[in-house]
Amino acid sequence: MSGMYWVLTTLAVAKKLDTVQRDQFLDFIDECWDSSSGGYSACPGHDPHILYTLSAVQIAATLDAIERLPSDDIVRYVRSLQNPDGSFAGDRWGEVDTRFSFCAVATLALLGRLHLDDNDNDTDNSIDLESAVRFVLSCQNFDGGFGSRPNAESHAGLIYCCVGFLSVVRRLASIDGDTLAWWLSERQLPSGGLNGRPEKLPDVCYSWWVISSLTMLGRQRWIDSDRLKAYILASQDVETGGFSDRPGDLPDPFHTVFGVAALSLLGEPGLLQVSPTFCMPQQVIDRLGVTSQILS
Ligand code: GRG
Ligand code: ZN
């Protein structure tokens, strides 16, 4: 399911959505729906999971088919995964991670079912938002970064999830943006590429996890974008057009979408503008009337 989201998003951002067979994507989503839980699985016959539920909603939204989704059941599924401390499990087996907090609020926001206003009717409030925010904030470390759980190592992928969560729920003012942006800007290596944590190799996907976070924090200029752009472009395979994790490696759909989405955020011409919060075309987010907080 997430592979379908990566491919579809790449094509949308590259302005090639007209080349996809829309019904094949939508039929696949339907086949992955689990009516008893309300969630979606990675492929037919597998267990539902909150990540694939978000991917299914992102696919439907990009194909302008969100009204076809069983929204009440999806909301029921997301709600069923929240724990008393505000965290979210990924599925009924209970793994807890800040990735799943992001998946929960992003799914609800895209469905128009996230209620941020205190005046909204409480009975319609699908999750306990205050405890969800408290849990994510408790995962910020002394170095400014965020990990998968309280006291877990800061990692750029989890920082995207936590900053993205705070962007969706409009609480970015609650964190120390300067220390966090310092940690993120330290990810740039002499090659121009970015790693996900100290002492690790650069990897094109971190171009997205880091640049999207810096963009939401209003501090994109804290890294050298020309050198990052050059690193991403050097990771494109000239034969297939796909992007790999680093120059010379084999391309794959995961690094292709995050390379292309990062290039869009860096202002590369010829690409659609991408939402740094949702990693989807901004025009899709606007069409749905969904807003997220981006600091200037
Ligand atoms: C809608 C864009 C979007 C995302 C959905 C699933 C998710 C939310 C985000 C994933 C964030 C992410 C990449 C987390 C990283 C998890 C992690 C601890 C990876 C460490 O992997 P290693 O050790 O990589 O193989 P490094 O580069 O640290 O060596
Ligand atoms: Zn990677």
Side-chain angles (χ1 to χ4, degrees), residues 202-206 209 244-246 252 254-255 258:
D203 178 331
V204 160
C205 68
Y206 294 116
W209 310 116
S244 57
D245 55 358
R246 55 190 71 93
D252 61 78
F254 178 88
H255 290 93
F258 295 120

Side-chain angles (χ1 to χ4, degrees), residues 5 51 54 58 99-100 102-103 155-158 160-161 195-197 200-201 203 205-206 208-209 254 258 277-279:
Y5 154 68
L51 174 60
L54 171 60
Q58 289 175 302
R99 282 174 296 172
F100 311 142
F102 171 75
C103 292
H155 189 284
L158 284 328
Y160 162 78
C161 293
N195 63 12
R197 45 184 164 153
K200 290 284 194 156
L201 292 172
D203 178 331
C205 68
Y206 294 116
W208 169 260
W209 310 116
F254 178 88
F258 295 120
T277 309
F278 293 98
C279 194

